[in-house]
Structures are given as structure tokens and as C-alpha cells.
């Protein structure tokens, strides 16, 4: 730095002395250095100048590379899929990336020096405190799972992995969002509960003809142990009369088609038979099929009983709804009244009643709607030839089905 002089004359005098001293030094140098040596010195200075220029270029390139690398590192740090945190021994946030700030639901600048544990749910806070202490005490990598409250609304599950920094005063923590995994685990637990406690028979069967997975309902309904059911081809448990149809259905499933409400009979260990209704879904890429079977034995026996009831030609049998529409009839209509089934089904039975008997039939219907069974009720029905026949009815209402089951005998000749 130049020295400042208040007197201009002093400054001029000093400059004059410096110039005279410089001339004296040049004169002495010229006396001691030859011209060749001077040229060599100049050349070396020029080479050194070029070296400095090259070094400056390399430094400029290195600076540019460093800036690019720094930018990449910054982007990698800020936009990595994981949250990065630097915490001190008290658990205060020293540094964090943008993803970490997003996890905590606040602006990054406002999170600096904040206590990390304040964002952790009450039920997992002690886990985090132990985790932080282990990092600084053991000097080893530690991990834990915690839940954080994001914006005081949603809960996010994080897996934290931490290691002490080189200075020993801070620790570096990586946070991974495992909320999806946690939800999947909960759904799996629910699925397992459904699988174990379902009243339906759930199974996974291979295209090779063997059961692979069975829920407890199979043993409960059929009586066979799980080991017995898995040890033999499942077709061995199907009733012999149903095996051909079942094999045909299996072929359809293997070809990739879903099957709904296919019914067959399975043999129980005690020798009884169970009717099962199946919904089956193929997974060809794994060579397996998933099946849901429901025990419909009671309803099937009821259906068979009703069918036997309607197969009896000695009576006139019908099933009607509370509005009088005929849903089903037997051959007795043709024998006693001359009508084919297609002339009866879907029509209202009032259309066949003698006009003078409609009012008393309406009153009887009202009783049936209230749940009162009919024991002996008489009215007249028109024969297809135009004549009227006297019928005596017994009927039972089924309010849950909104149906009436009725049977009549022809008492015309007796009357």
C-alpha cells in the first residue's frame, strides 16, 4: 500500500530518488550480465509466462468441473428419494435436504435448529431417543422405525438409518418413507385374519391337481385334516358322479377363464356328502388357481326337497309372490286344469279364479302376508276347457322371500 504524503514536494523528491536508484541498478546489471545471458533469461521468463497461462487454463477448467460437480451433488442431496438430516447430540437439526423438509411438512429454513423429536409421534418418540443415544454411544450404524406427524394431519412411517459424523459432534441420518410398506403389512394382517376365520373355504390349487394352500374352514366343513387334503389330488375328494364335470371345469380354468357358481359334491371324512358352490380364478403365469367354495348343502337339500314336492303329480303345486304372480308350478296344473307350464308361469293366479271367489281369496292372501298359514281354503279355478274345478288349498308364507308355497287338491267330485 502506498504511503500518503501531505506535502507534494516531499512526494516528488522521493520519486526522483527512486528513479535515480533504478537507473543505477540497471547500469550495474548490464555490466555483470552478457547479452546472451540476457536473451536466455528473457526466454525463460516467456516460457514461465506460458506455463502460468496454461496453469490458469487448467485452473479455470478445474473450477468449472468443480462447479458442475457441486451442482450435481447439491441436486443429488436435495432431490434424492430419501430424506437426509444432520443432527447434533441434542437432536437438533443442523442440516437437511429438501426431501427431508417435505417429510416434516415445513420450510427448510424454518426447520434449522428445530428439535427433530418434536415431529415424531408420541408412541415412537422413545424409540427415536434410544436410537440417537446408540449412535453417539456405540459409534456404529443404527436403524429404527418411527412415525412422524406431517402438518399435524397425516402420519408418515419412516425408517431411520444413522451414523456418527467424523467430528463426533453430529450424526448423519437417512430417512426412507415406508408408509406404503406399513399399510401393506396391515392389509396382509387383515387378509390373514380373513383367511383364517372365513366361513368360506379358501384355497390355492396348482394346475398339477394338488391343493397348495387351504384355510381352516376345509377341515371344519369336510373333516379331513390339512395334511390329508394336501397329500392327495383334490379330485379324489370329489364325489365320483361329479368328477367328469369337475375335470372339464378345471380345463376351462387352466385355459384362463374365471368360473362362477359351479356346484359339485365333496366327500367328508365321516362318509357324508357336502354340496359346494365355487368361484375360481386362474393365474396362468404361476400355474395356480385361487378358489372360494361355499357350503350350500342346506340350500341344496331344500332345493331338492322342493323339486321332489313339485314332481308329485297328485296335487296342484305352485309358488307365488305376495302380488299373486306365479313363479313355479308342477305337472298337476296340466293334469287337473289342462294348462301347460308356459301358460301358467308369469301370470297372476287371480286370472284363473272364479269371479265370485276373488274377494274371499284376497282376504286369505292378506292373512298369508301377515305370516298366517292357510290350512283348508276352498275356491274355484277355471279349467282350460272353460269349466270350473273346486280346489282345496293349504299354503305357507315365506316373508323373507316374499313368497307363498301352496298345494291344492281337486275336490270337485267329492263336492
Amino acid at each position: 500500500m502506498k504511503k500518503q504524503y501531505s506535502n507534494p514536494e516531499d512526494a516528488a523528491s522521493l520519486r526522483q530518488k527512486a528513479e535515480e536508484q533504478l537507473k543505477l541498478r540497471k547500469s550495474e546489471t548490464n555490466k555483470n550480465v552478457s547479452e546472451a545471458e540476457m536473451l536466455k533469461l528473457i526466454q525463460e521468463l516467456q516460457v514461465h509466462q506460458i506455463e502460468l497461462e496454461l496453469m490458469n487454463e487448467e485452473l479455470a477448467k478445474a473450477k468449472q468441473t468443480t462447479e458442475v460437480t457441486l451442482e450435481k451433488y447439491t441436486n443429488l442431496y436435495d432431490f434424492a428419494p430419501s430424506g437426509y438430516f444432520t443432527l447434533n447430540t441434542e437432536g437438533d437439526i443442523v442440516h437437511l435436504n429438501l426431501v427431508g423438509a417435505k417429510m416434516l411438512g415445513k420450510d427448510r429454513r424454518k426447520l434449522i435448529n428445530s428439535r427433530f423429536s418434536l415431529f415424531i409421534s408420541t408412541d415412537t418418540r422413545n424409540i427415536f431417543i434410544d436410537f440417537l443415544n446408540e449412535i453417539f454411544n456405540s459409534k456404529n450404524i443404527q436403524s429404527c422405525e418411527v412415525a412422524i406427524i406431517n402438518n399435524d394431519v397425516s402420519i408418515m412411517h419412516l425408517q431411520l438409518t444413522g451414523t456418527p459424523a467424523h467430528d463426533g459432534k453430529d450424526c448423519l441420518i437417512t430417512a426412507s418413507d415406508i408408509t406404503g410398506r406399513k399399510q401393506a403389512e396391515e392389509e396382509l394382517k387383515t387378509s390373514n385374519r380373513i383367511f383364517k376365520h372365513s366361513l368360506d373355504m379358501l384355497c390355492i390349487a396348482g394346475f398339477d391337481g394338488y391343493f397348495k394352500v387351504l384355510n381352516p374352514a376345509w377341515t371344519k366343513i369336510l373333516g379331513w385334516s390339512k395334511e390329508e387334503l394336501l397329500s392327495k389330488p383334490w379330485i379324489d375328494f370329489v364325489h365320483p358322479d361329479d368328477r367328469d364335470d369337475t375335470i372339464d371345469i378345471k380345463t376351462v380354468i387352466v385355459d384362463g377363464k374365471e368360473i362362477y357358481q359351479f356346484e359339485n359334491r365333496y366327500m367328508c371324512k365321516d362318509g357324508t356328502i357336502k354340496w359346494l358352490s365355487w368361484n375360481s380364478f386362474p393365474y396362468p403365469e404361476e400355474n395356480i388357481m385361487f378358489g372360494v367354495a361355499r357350503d350350500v348343502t342346506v340350500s341344496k337339500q331344500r332345493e331338492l326337497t322342493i323339486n321332489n314336492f313339485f314332481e308329485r303329480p297328485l296335487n296342484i303345486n305352485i309358488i307365488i309372490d305376495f302380488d299373486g304372480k306365479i313363479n313355479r308350478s308342477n305337472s298337476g296344473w296340466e293334469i287337473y286344469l289342462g294348462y301347460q307350464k308356459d301358460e301358467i308361469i308369469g301370470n297372476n293366479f287371480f286370472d284363473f279364479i272364479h269371479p265370485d271367489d276373488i274377494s274371499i281369496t284376497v282376504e286369505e292372501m292378506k292373512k298369508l302376508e301377515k305370516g298366517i298359514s292357510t290350512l283348508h281354503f276352498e275356491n274355484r279355478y277355471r279349467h282350460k276347457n272353460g269349466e270350473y274345478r273346486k280346489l282345496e288349498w293349504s299354503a305357507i308364507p315365506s316373508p323373507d322371500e316374499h313368497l307363498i308355497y301352496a298345494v291344492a287338491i281337486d275336490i270337485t267330485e267329492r263336492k
Side-chain angles (χ1 to χ4, degrees), residues 293-308:
R294 176 163 295 182
D295 181 6
V296 294
T297 305
V298 174
S299 60
K300 197 68 179 179
Q301 290 173 342
R302 178 181 179 185
E303 179 184 339
L304 294 174
T305 301
I306 292 174
N307 287 336
N308 291 333

Side-chain angles (χ1 to χ4, degrees), residues 255-269:
D255 288 340
K257 295 182 180 180
E258 298 177 355
I259 296 297
Y260 296 92
Q261 296 181 340
F262 168 73
E263 294 182 354
N264 62 2
R265 288 167 290 179
Y266 265 65
M267 297 180 294
C268 299
K269 190 170 184 177

Side-chain angles (χ1 to χ4, degrees), residues 232-300:
K232 296 193 298 184
W234 51 260
I235 196 67
D236 290 355
F237 299 96
V238 177
H239 192 283
D241 294 344
D242 295 342
R243 288 178 182 174
D244 289 341
D245 290 341
T246 303
I247 291 173
D248 291 341
I249 287 296
K250 177 199 169 185
T251 302
V252 172
I253 297 173
V254 171
D255 288 340
K257 295 182 180 180
E258 298 177 355
I259 296 297
Y260 296 92
Q261 296 181 340
F262 168 73
E263 294 182 354
N264 62 2
R265 288 167 290 179
Y266 265 65
M267 297 180 294
C268 299
K269 190 170 184 177
D270 61 5
T272 59
I273 302 297
K274 294 288 186 182
W275 277 94
L276 303 181
S277 178
W278 287 90
N279 292 337
S280 299
F281 313 93
Y283 291 87
E285 64 278 4
E286 301 178 50
N287 291 323
I288 60 172
M289 64 185 85
F290 179 75
V292 181
R294 176 163 295 182
D295 181 6
V296 294
T297 305
V298 174
S299 60
K300 197 68 179 179

Side-chain angles (χ1 to χ4, degrees), residues 61-96:
K61 291 180 181 179
K63 179 182 178 182
Q64 184 179 5
T65 302
T66 302
E67 290 174 349
V68 172
T69 302
L70 180 61
E71 182 180 1
K72 290 181 178 179
Y73 169 78
T74 302
N75 290 335
L76 180 63
Y77 178 76
D78 279 337
F79 301 106
S82 300
Y84 295 139
F85 299 88
T86 301
L87 306 183
N88 60 22
T89 54
E90 301 298 322
D92 297 329
I93 299 173
V94 180
H95 300 291
L96 76 164

